[in-house]
Amino acid sequence: MITLQRRQLVGHDILLARHGNHISAMRLDRSTGRVVAFLDDGSTDSAPNLIAPGLRMPDTVRSVLREDWKFLTGISAGSVVLAGLMFAASAAVAGMSGDPALVQMLTAYSGN
């Protein structure tokens, strides 16, 4: 079962254990998989973000969007195209019909 939760950054814990309250800021360097800490004295320290390199971390909403953006974009575009085709078909049926009641029913918009 997929649980979408915020990933626990192991590097934060390591750096907090090393330096405690002497850390002024921390950031995640995704390209190297490390957490970088900026210390009060102007120096920096880093720690690996994973306990084991092959460890599969739980999925988050952001990671799912980052991995599946092409698929989700395709589904969204397909839905918009399908809705447009349905609207065009409805307008075409209304135009082909000589019955004014059918035209009014298919093109009416309820403001309520």
Side-chain angles (χ1 to χ4, degrees), residues 2 4 6 15-16 19 25-26 34 41 47 58-59 62 64 68-69 71-72 80 83 89-90 93-94 96 100-101 110:
I2 297 175
L4 297 177
R6 187 180 185 280
L15 291 170
L16 283 170
H19 303 289
M26 279 197 253
R34 299 181 71 81
D41 62 359
D59 289 328
R62 186 176 295 166
V64 169
D68 298 335
W69 71 271
F71 174 73
L72 295 172
V80 168
S90 173
V93 167
M96 288 189 297
S110 174

Side-chain angles (χ1 to χ4, degrees), residues 59-71:
D59 289 328
T60 62
V61 173
R62 186 176 295 166
S63 69
V64 169
L65 290 177
R66 186 173 41 248
E67 294 169 4
D68 298 335
W69 71 271
K70 288 180 183 178
F71 174 73

Side-chain angles (χ1 to χ4, degrees), residues 14-23 37 39-40 43-46:
I14 294 170
L15 291 170
L16 283 170
R18 284 185 195 163
H19 303 289
N21 60 355
H22 297 288
I23 298 173
L39 305 176
D40 293 338
S43 62
T44 61
D45 189 13
S46 66

Side-chain angles (χ1 to χ4, degrees), residues 30 109 112:
R30 291 189 192 277
Y109 173 75
N112 297 342

Side-chain angles (χ1 to χ4, degrees), residues 3 12 17 19 25-26 31 33 40 53 66 70 76 79 81 83-84 87 100:
T3 58
H12 282 195
H19 303 289
M26 279 197 253
S31 63
D40 293 338
R66 186 173 41 248
K70 288 180 183 178
S76 299
S79 299
V81 167
F87 179 75

Side-chain angles (χ1 to χ4, degrees), residues 24-41:
S24 59
M26 279 197 253
R27 70 173 178 85
L28 176 63
D29 186 4
R30 291 189 192 277
S31 63
T32 60
R34 299 181 71 81
V35 176
V36 179
F38 300 97
L39 305 176
D40 293 338
D41 62 359

